[in-house]
Amino acid sequence: SQKIEQNSEALNIQEGKTATLTCNYTNYSPAYLQWYRQDPGRGPVFLLLIRENEKEKRKERLKVTFDTTLKQSLFHITASQPADSATYLCARGDDSWGKLQFGAGTQVVVTP
Amino acid sequence: GAVVSQHPSRVICKSGTSVKIECRSLDFQATTMFWYRQFPKQSLMLMATSNEGSKATYEQGVEKDKFLINHASLTLSTLTVTSAHPEDSSFYICSAETGTGANVLTFGAGSRLTVL
């Protein structure tokens, strides 16, 4: 069965630095990977999507990469701010409709 | 943008009682909604796919008689946890695809269920 794994250890980072999160998947490459942000006690919020045939996507201070050789996606937050502190979830999608498989998320803590 | 409203945000109930959670799409129609459950420090686990006007599709291991899903209209899906037990205590979140493609989901704020 496919797995999607994120680093369970919290990432503590100083304001202004770049936070880099890792999402690894097993078996075949998904059609796309999505990244969500989740704040405590809240539902996830969609951030970025990257398709299998794309190497990199950007949105403001966020950047996502998709490496099918390493079976990995990296999520970068540049010039991090305390407001970026949250848990970030990676999700793989294999169908044209419906189900996503989520990782457990990585907590990011940005200190001033 | 698309908004999914979920209610209640928190509910505490006694063991053996039933609890209903509502999920509404406020500014769009959702023929399909998804119900997830999340335990602390764990990933979202898909429980079922709710289809407007038809029966829900449940994931393996999810008891359909315990977690009743009704999708009576294009803007409302409900999840009823029947005869709740303490092990059902969890964070339940609904979501809907917003139509932007590639299954991008808009989530509700979640419902924290505590069964005493």
Side-chain angles (χ1 to χ4, degrees):
Chain A
S1 61
Q2 305 105 312
K3 289 185 180 179
I4 187 154
E5 295 173 342
Q6 297 182 254
N7 193 345
S8 59
E9 199 172 312
L11 178 64
N12 291 283
I13 192 163
Q14 195 173 12
E15 182 175 10
K17 302 291 186 183
T18 297
T20 299
L21 285 65
T22 304
C23 175
N24 295 301
Y25 60 88
T26 61
N27 296 336
Y28 57 88
S29 287
Y32 50 83
L33 289 163
Q34 298 183 16
W35 285 86
Y36 291 77
R37 168 183 173 141
Q38 186 175 23
D39 290 284
R42 307 290 293 177
V45 175
F46 172 75
L47 297 174
L48 278 170
L49 175 148
I50 185 165
R51 298 183 184 276
E52 186 182 12
N53 61 352
E54 297 173 318
K55 296 288 187 186
E56 180 181 298
K57 288 287 275 294
R58 290 175 184 262
K59 178 183 175 182
E60 297 173 352
R61 293 184 295 109
L62 308 179
K63 184 178 83 171
V64 173
T65 62
F66 195 157
D67 189 325
T68 55
T69 301
L70 295 178
K71 296 189 176 182
Q72 182 180 84
S73 174
L74 297 180
F75 178 82
H76 305 271
I77 307 172
T78 59
S80 59
Q81 304 167 0
D84 295 326
S85 298
T87 295
Y88 292 85
L89 307 175
C90 173
R92 67 176 290 165
D94 296 300
D95 303 324
S96 59
W97 174 91
K99 301 179 186 179
L100 292 177
Q101 183 183 6
F102 284 85
T106 299
Q107 183 184 11
V108 173
V109 178
V110 183
T111 52
Chain B
V3 176
V4 172
S5 174
Q6 190 171 340
H7 178 82
S9 57
R10 292 176 185 272
V11 58
I12 301 172
C13 70
K14 292 182 178 180
S15 186
T17 60
S18 295
V19 173
K20 180 186 283 189
I21 300 170
E22 292 188 349
C23 181
R24 295 180 185 272
S25 57
L26 295 189
D27 49 1
F28 67 103
Q29 294 183 332
T31 54
T32 302
M33 289 186 176
F34 304 95
W35 287 93
Y36 289 85
R37 180 167 56 184
Q38 186 178 35
F39 292 105
K41 304 290 185 183
Q42 295 188 25
S43 63
L44 280 77
M45 297 302 297
L46 180 64
M47 299 175 65
T49 302
S50 168
N51 303 297
E52 186 267 336
S54 65
K55 292 182 179 180
T57 303
Y58 290 82
E59 294 300 301
Q60 192 173 9
V62 178
E63 299 176 58
K64 61 181 180 181
D65 294 331
K66 180 166 187 63
F67 298 100
L68 299 179
I69 291 173
N70 184 278
H71 197 149
S73 76
L74 288 171
T75 59
L76 174 64
S77 176
T78 60
L79 168 68
T80 301
V81 183
T82 61
S83 186
H85 291 285
E87 57 266 29
D88 298 324
S89 299
S90 188
F91 192 54
Y92 293 87
I93 320 175
C94 68
S95 67
E97 189 180 343
T98 55
T100 55
N103 304 325
V104 172
L105 298 178
T106 295
F107 284 86
S111 299
R112 172 73 60 190
L113 170 63
T114 302
V115 184
L116 302 177

